[in-house]
Structures are given as C-alpha cells and as structure tokens.
C-alpha cells in the first residue's frame, strides 16, 4: 500500500498553476499519484517524497510546502501591502502620467511603456513561455494582445489592458486567500488544550495527547475540547457551533457532547470517545475542504477560446502574408499589409475586456450596496440560481430568543408576574433567562420592587428563589408536572405554544402554576418579504435546512412562506441535502454558522450573513451580505442576472466584430486604420455596455 502524505501549500495564484504543480509532482520518481485541492490549498501525495522535492516541483510559482500535521503561523498580508496590488498601483500611476502627457508624445510612450513593463512583467514571462511551448492559455492571449497593441503604436491601449489584468489578478489572489482562511478559523473553534484527570491527578494537556477513555473536566463557561460522553454532572450546553440549535441543550450523565461547544452552567466530567482527528469539528473541516475541492473553478470561456483563437489568428496571418506571394504571384507588400491588418484586428482587447469590465462594475455596484462578491465566477453562478436554501437560526431568524407570550393563569397581574420571573432569572446564565430579563427591562418593570434571595438552580429543569418572602419556581412544564401536576387546560395551552415552535416555561409556587412564559427565536421582519421577492424573480424553490426541532422549523417555515422544511439536521445532513438539491438545479445556500460551512462550500453559491455570521461562514461563502441584511439577497440575484446577460452580449459583439473584420481582409477592404478603429470601437462599446450595471437598483 502506497504511503499517503498531505501537505499545505502557500503561494497558489490560479488553477492553471495548481494543475501544473500537480503534474510536476506526479512526474517525481517515487510518487505514484498526487492530487491538488486548490480551494483548501493543499496536496495529497501517494508515495515517497520530500518537502524539498515538492518545493522544487513548485519553483516556477515560488510555492512553499509544509506537512499538514505541522502547526505553522500563517503570515497574513493586507490587500494594500501585497506585491500584486502595489504592482498594479504603480502601473496605474504611469498609465495616468502617459495620458496626461498627451497622445503621440515621446514622453507619453515612455510612460505607457513603463506601465506595460511593470504591470505585465510576470504576465509576459508566463505568456512568452507559453508561446515557446505552444501552450496558448490566457497569459499567452494577454501577452499577444498587449505586445500587438504596442507594435502598432497603441501604447495607451496596451497599458490599459495590462492594468485591468493586473487588478483582476490581485483581486483573485486576495479573495482565494480569504476563502482559505475558512479552514484556519474552523480549526480555532475547539480549544487546543483540556483539563484531564488520570488517576487522582488533574493536568492541562494538548488535545493531540488526549486518549480515548480519558476523563475531561469542563468548568462552567469553558468550551468543550473533545467529543465524549457525560459521566458526571448536569449542565446546559450551547451547541450552536455544531448543530445550529438556537437554545442550549440540557446534558445529564450518558449524553453526548461535542468539541467546540460551550458549557454554560454546571461542572461536567466527560469521558473522551474520539481522538482529536475524529471529532465532529474535525469532520466539518474535512467536509469543507472536500466541498471546496469539488467546486474547482471551471475555466472561463475566453481562456478556453484563447487555446484556439490566438494560434488560429497567428497562423492565418502568416498564411495570408506568405502563401499568395509564393504560390499566386501576389505582391509581397500588399499581402504582408493584409497579414498585419489581421494581426491588428485579431488583437483580442475587446474580447479580453468584455468579461472583466462587466464583473468589476457589478462587484463595485454590489459593494456600494453592502454585498461582498468574491469574484466573477460567483457573480455568474448567482445569476443562474434556481434553488435557494436557508439556514434558520441567525438567517431567517435573529438567533436571539425573545419572550413572545406571557399568559396569566392566576394570582398577580401580568406585570408583577414578569417582575417575579425576572428577579429569579437575573441570577441565571441561561439564554432563556436572559430573554425574560430583557423583556422586563423593555417593559420598565422596577427591579427594586422585586428582590430574589436563596436562588438555586434546578439543573436541566429550571430554578427557584424566595421573592419578597414567597418561594417561587420557574422552569420547564416537566418540573411542575413532577411537583404538583398540571390540569388539562394548561397542558393544552402549553401544547399549542410548543406547536408554534416556542419554548414554554412555567412560573409558580410549590402548590400552583401562576403563568406560562413562551420564548422563541424572533423572525427577521424582512424574511417573508425576501422569500416572496425571490419567487417573483423566478427562483423555483426555497428550502429551509436547520438543526432545530421539526415543530419549531415548520412553524417558522410557515410564517416566512417556505414550503419545504428539513429539520434536525447535523452538518453532514445539510451537506447531503445540498447535494440532492443540486440534482434539481443550481443551488444557493444562505447561512451564518460553523455548522453551515460544509453546505455553504458545497452549494453552487454560498451566501453568508455578514454581521451575525461567524468568520468561518463568512470566509467559506462566495458572497457575504455585509450589513446582515437579508433584503440584499434579491438585489444580488437581480444584479448577477443582469451581469450575466451583459457578459454574453459583450462576448457575442466582440466575436461578431472580429468575424466582420476578417471577412473584409481577403478582398483587401480592411485597412490598418479601419482595423484599429474596429478594435478600439469594440473595446469602447463593451466597456460602456458593462457600465450599464451601475444603473441596477436594489
């Protein structure tokens, strides 16, 4: 069996470079196979290989390689300090200087030349190597376009193309690096150390050294470092990072807990059941990486077209310039002129600019409206979406529990009942308790009127305290059922509230229930309107995917107008649901949590809620709604569809202009100035057409 090794790679700039690196590694003598995951920036190698050999295989791109198991700090360079950004900025300065110096001046040509040389230096090296090897990719296409423009004296045009390409490369490199940070932020969810008891001794040790069967001590307020089973203690654990549940889950002996979740109340002793590489959070990391690998960016149409277009133009120009004089006694000067005209009109500036100008304009327009789109591929994909899947907690809802109902059964007035409940819950750390305290503050209930003494938590069920001399209890219906029993009318009210997706608490004394308090995750005001607008835009299906219970999920789905609801899903289930939906059309996934990361990465387009979202969801996603505003989603789809339409128009127009000009060459009707005019005119038209995207309204 061949040895399998996984290495992290620093320095990938494009999919072509990653593919070339993979081929170079496969060619190494003791390597049986190799597979690059461009999205996760790593390579899996089967066989024997050293880091030095791998780095030599990636020397053409200056790649740095290190084993996945090696913990290494990643140097993060801001966008404005990156070499590619600085190069583009310097190129832009010289381009502007050339323009200000005036066309046709020697000094302007010098400035344009410096702009081309500085901005296109690395591009030219790759493009010329491609020409030598007859590998006609996008770099070759750009090199021919720029040098062709310079050769006919269009230095300004050549410099403009260089600058556009440099900006595009800088943005692509930056966005890919941000996407890869999703893996690193996932790795930070779970603690790196834990308190372990072996024998009678407690020790703080790294998670890598923890063995299955070890006893882990988790104090209130601490994150759980490993997956395991509770053997002692009772507590409420916030599992939002794993399951997406909006309310903490009560944990008693025998219950399972997950790495990366937060122990909120009691002291827990947990028997470790999985090694660090097998924990639920480790599986989520693996799922994200696999989803990124599955979604390797497809080659752009222009890049594919360049393989045939550029050599065809060059070959045809050579044939036109040489064959008629050699075989048919044509005049050399006439036919060389026609060959030059073909090279000029074949200069693919309009075709090359047709897509970037539309994409840059659309991304700029989106940014002004609070939407971050991480590249042209995601913009185009968004325009093709037919299915939108939503997470519930923090996406369709606010992710913060609020009091929705207070039903007085007997005793004091509603305001007094809320005051009593708040006095008790002020001593509790549970999110449901916080919801009651916030409600009392909102209703201006005096905290001085009601004071609680002798507070005691009844783990997993509720709490009790003496308020103004009377012992009161607040907790789950189960607590009161055990203490005194609840009559059928009260049970029916509780069942009705639970059917609406609400968590119900009872307030009362030892002998009677005084009030029902219902708490629920509040729906965003915009959710229903957003779903309606999506259907109006022609989105065929909207789906809710949530880790919450089915009753809550269906109640929320009904309120916002989503017909298909899938509830009680773990991250793996969400990923599988997205894969199934992808068989029916292109799928967009909207989410905000760590548990959404695999689904966000696997969907055709992952859309993160910015303000409320975790860094992981934000960086894994292809689009981020920066203001945490779901109403920007219909606008983004509308903008993307318009961009897709304009890109198609520009490419079609560019090719038609070329075809028309080519037809005029053979009879000698196309002069050099006409060729230049056609090329510059087409470039101007596609640019102006792309700028129409600035008029799209939200």
């Amino acid at each position: 069996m061949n040895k399998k090794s996984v290495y992290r790679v620093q320095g990938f700039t494009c999919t072509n470079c990653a593919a070339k690196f993979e081929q170079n590694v496969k060619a190494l003598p003791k390597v049986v196979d190799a597979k690059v995951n461009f999205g996760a920036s790593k390579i899996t190698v089967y066989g024997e290989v050293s880091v030095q050999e791998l780095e030599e295989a990636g020397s053409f791109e200056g790649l740095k390689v290190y084993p996945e198991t090696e913990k290494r700090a990643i140097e993060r360079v801001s966008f404005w300090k990156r070499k590619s950004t600085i190069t583009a900025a310097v190129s832009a300065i010289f381009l502007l200087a050339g323009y200000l110096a005036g066309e046709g001046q020697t000094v302007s040509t010098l400035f344009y030349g410096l702009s081309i040389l500085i901005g296109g230096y690395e591009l030219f090296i790759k493009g010329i190597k491609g020409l030598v090897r007859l590998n006609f990719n996008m770099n070759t296409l750009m090199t021919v376009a720029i040098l062709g423009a310079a050769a006919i004296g269009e230095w300004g045009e050549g410099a403009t193309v260089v600058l556009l390409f440099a900006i595009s490369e800088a943005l692509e490199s930056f966005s890919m690096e941000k996407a890869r940070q999703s893996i690193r932020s996932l790795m930070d969810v779970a603690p790196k150390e834990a308190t372990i008891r072996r024998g009678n001794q407690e020790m703080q040790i790294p998670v890598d050294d923890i063995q299955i069967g070890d006893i882990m001590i988790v104090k209130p307020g601490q994150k759980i470092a490993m997956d395991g089973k509770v053997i002692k203690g009772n507590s409420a654990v916030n599992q939002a990072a794993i399951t997406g549940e909006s309310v903490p889950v009560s944990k008693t002996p025998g219950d399972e807990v997950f790495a990366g979740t937060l122990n909120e109340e009691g002291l827990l002793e947990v028997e470790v059941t999985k090694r660090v590489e097998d924990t639920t959070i480790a599986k989520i990391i693996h799922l994200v990486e696999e989803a990124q690998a599955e979604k390797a960016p497809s080659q752009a149409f222009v890049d594919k077209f360049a393989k045939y277009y550029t050599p065809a133009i060059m070959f045809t120009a050579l044939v036109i310039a040489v064959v008629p004089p050699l075989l048919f006694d044509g005049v050399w000067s006439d036919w060389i002129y026609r060959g030059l005209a073909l090279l000029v009109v074949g200069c693919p500036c309009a075709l090359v600019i047709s897509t970037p100008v539309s994409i840059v304009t659309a991304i700029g327009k989106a940014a002004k409206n609070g939407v971050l789109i991480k590249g042209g591929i995601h913009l185009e994909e968004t325009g093709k979406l037919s299915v939108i899947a939503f997470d519930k907690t923090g996406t369709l809802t606010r992710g913060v529990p609020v009091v929705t109902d207070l039903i007085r059964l007997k005793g004091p007035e509603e305001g007094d009942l809320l005051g009593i409940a708040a006095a008790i819950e002020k001593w509790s750390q549970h999110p449901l308790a916080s919801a009651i305290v916030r409600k009392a503050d909102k209703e201006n209930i005096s905290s001085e009127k009601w004071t609680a003494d002798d507070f005691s938590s009844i783990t997993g069920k509720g709490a009790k305290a003496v308020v103004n001399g009377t012992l009161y209890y607040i907790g789950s219906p189960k607590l009161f059922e055990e203490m005194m029993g609840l009559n059928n009318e009260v049970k029916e009210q509780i069942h009705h509230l639970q059917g609406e997706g609400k968590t119900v608490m009872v307030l009362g004394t030892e002998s009677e229930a005084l009030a029902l308090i219902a708490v629920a995750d509040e729906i965003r005001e915009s959710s229903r309107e957003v779903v309606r607008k999506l259907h109006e835009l022609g989105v065929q299906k909207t789906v809710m995917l949530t880790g919450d219970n089915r009753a809550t999920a269906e109640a929320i789905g009904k309120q916002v107008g989503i017909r298909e609801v899938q509830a009680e899903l773990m991250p793996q289930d969400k990923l599988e649901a997205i894969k199934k939906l992808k068989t029916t059309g292109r799928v967009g996934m909207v989410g905000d949590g760590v548990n959404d990361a695999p689904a966000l990465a696997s969907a055709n387009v992952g859309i993160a809620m910015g303000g409320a979202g975790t860094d992981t969801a934000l960086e894994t996603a292809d689009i981020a709604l920066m203001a945490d505003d779901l109403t920007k989603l219909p606008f983004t789809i509308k903008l993307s569809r318009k961009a897709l339409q304009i890109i198609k128009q520009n490419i079609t127009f560019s090719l038609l202009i070329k075809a028309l000009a080519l037809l005029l060459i053979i009879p000698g009707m196309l002069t050099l100035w006409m060729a230049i005019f056609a090329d510059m005119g087409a470039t101007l038209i596609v640019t102006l057409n792309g700028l129409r995207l600035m008029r799209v309204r939200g």
Side-chain angles (χ1 to χ4, degrees), residues 462-480:
K464 63 180 179 178
V466 176
V467 181
N468 293 8
T470 304
L471 177 61
Y472 290 97
Y473 288 79
I474 186 168
S476 66
K478 183 180 177 183
L479 171 65
F480 281 80

Side-chain angles (χ1 to χ4, degrees), residues 507-527:
L507 173 68
T509 63
E510 286 179 292
S511 58
E512 59 184 355
L514 302 176
L516 301 180
I517 303 174
V519 176
D521 190 4
E522 191 176 24
I523 296 172
R524 293 177 187 270
E525 295 89 346
S526 58
S527 294

Side-chain angles (χ1 to χ4, degrees), residues 69-82:
T69 52
E70 184 180 318
K71 311 294 183 199
R72 184 176 294 197
I74 305 297
E75 184 183 356
R76 298 187 182 184
V77 183
S78 75
F79 178 74
W80 299 109
K81 292 181 179 178
R82 288 169 176 260

Side-chain angles (χ1 to χ4, degrees), residues 381-397:
E381 281 292 319
T382 304
K384 301 172 186 174
L385 295 179
S386 58
V387 181
I388 305 287
F390 293 92
D391 172 49
K392 180 183 76 67
T393 307
T395 301
L396 292 169
T397 65

Side-chain angles (χ1 to χ4, degrees), residues 632-659:
K632 298 298 180 187
L633 181 58
F635 159 75
T636 306
I637 291 176
K638 185 179 175 183
L639 177 70
S640 300
R641 288 181 177 176
K642 188 68 176 176
L644 199 58
Q645 180 186 358
I646 285 178
I647 287 168
K648 287 176 180 175
Q649 288 172 356
N650 282 351
I651 291 174
T652 304
F653 177 75
S654 301
L655 293 176
L656 284 174
I657 286 288
K658 300 298 178 194

Side-chain angles (χ1 to χ4, degrees), residues 12-299:
F12 279 147
T13 57
C14 64
T15 50
N16 285 338
C17 302
K20 184 178 177 184
F21 176 55
E22 182 178 286
Q23 292 303 317
N24 288 353
V25 173
K26 284 180 179 178
L28 293 172
K30 294 183 180 178
V31 172
V32 178
D33 195 15
K35 186 178 181 182
V36 166
N37 182 332
F38 180 65
S41 199
K42 67 180 187 179
I43 184 169
T44 304
V45 182
Y46 297 90
E48 298 290 336
V49 70
S50 67
V51 170
Q52 185 181 350
E53 286 176 310
L54 290 172
E55 290 191 342
E56 284 175 6
S59 60
F60 68 96
E61 185 78 350
L63 301 178
K64 297 295 179 186
V65 181
Y66 61 94
E68 187 180 40
T69 52
E70 184 180 318
K71 311 294 183 199
R72 184 176 294 197
I74 305 297
E75 184 183 356
R76 298 187 182 184
V77 183
S78 75
F79 178 74
W80 299 109
K81 292 181 179 178
R82 288 169 176 260
K83 180 185 174 184
S84 56
T85 309
I86 294 168
T87 300
V90 174
S91 179
I93 290 168
F94 280 116
L95 174 62
L96 181 62
Y99 175 76
L100 294 175
E103 292 294 331
Q105 302 295 319
T106 304
V107 68
S108 74
T109 303
L110 179 63
F111 282 135
Y112 285 144
L114 286 170
S115 177
I116 289 170
L117 189 62
I118 292 167
Y121 176 72
E122 291 186 5
L123 165 69
F124 294 149
I125 290 175
K126 293 175 185 176
I128 291 166
K129 281 181 180 177
L131 275 172
V132 171
R133 295 170 184 165
L134 300 179
N135 177 20
F136 299 109
N137 54 28
M138 185 58 124
N139 293 317
T140 313
L141 181 77
M142 292 301 301
T143 301
V144 171
I146 294 156
L147 295 181
I152 61 170
E154 292 294 332
W155 291 89
E157 185 183 349
T160 304
V161 173
V162 164
L163 179 61
L164 277 172
F165 190 74
I167 292 171
S168 172
E169 288 284 282
L171 288 172
E172 182 183 351
S173 172
F174 180 70
S175 64
M176 278 308 303
E177 181 58 30
K178 289 292 288 181
R180 290 179 186 127
Q181 286 175 14
S182 64
I183 305 295
R184 294 196 283 274
S185 60
L186 268 175
M187 292 171 177
D188 294 336
V189 168
K192 298 293 183 285
E193 292 185 329
T195 304
I196 296 295
R197 187 173 66 226
R198 290 176 179 167
N200 295 320
Q201 189 179 3
E202 289 187 9
M203 59 193 84
Q204 192 85 0
I205 65 173
V207 290
D208 290 337
D209 297 334
I210 297 175
Q211 303 294 323
I212 293 174
D214 279 343
I215 305 302
M216 181 170 57
I217 311 298
V218 189
K219 297 175 183 176
Q222 286 187 337
K223 277 190 174 182
I224 298 168
M226 303 285 283
D227 282 14
K229 185 190 293 183
V230 177
I231 57 170
K232 187 177 180 182
N234 297 277
S235 185
V237 174
N238 186 331
Q239 298 188 155
I242 301 296
T243 66
E245 290 168 288
S246 53
V247 176
V249 178
S250 175
K251 297 291 183 181
T252 56
D255 290 339
E256 191 177 11
V257 292
F258 307 108
T261 58
L262 180 65
N263 179 26
E264 295 197 336
E265 290 183 356
L267 180 74
L268 291 177
E269 292 189 13
V270 178
E271 181 184 345
V272 176
T273 55
K274 294 176 183 175
R275 288 187 54 78
V276 66
E277 62 267 22
D278 299 321
T279 61
T280 303
I281 198 71
K283 287 177 183 174
I284 292 176
I285 293 168
H286 176 72
L287 289 172
V288 171
E289 293 189 332
E290 289 304 305
Q292 286 180 330
E294 285 172 21
K295 198 176 61 176
S298 57
Q299 272 194 308

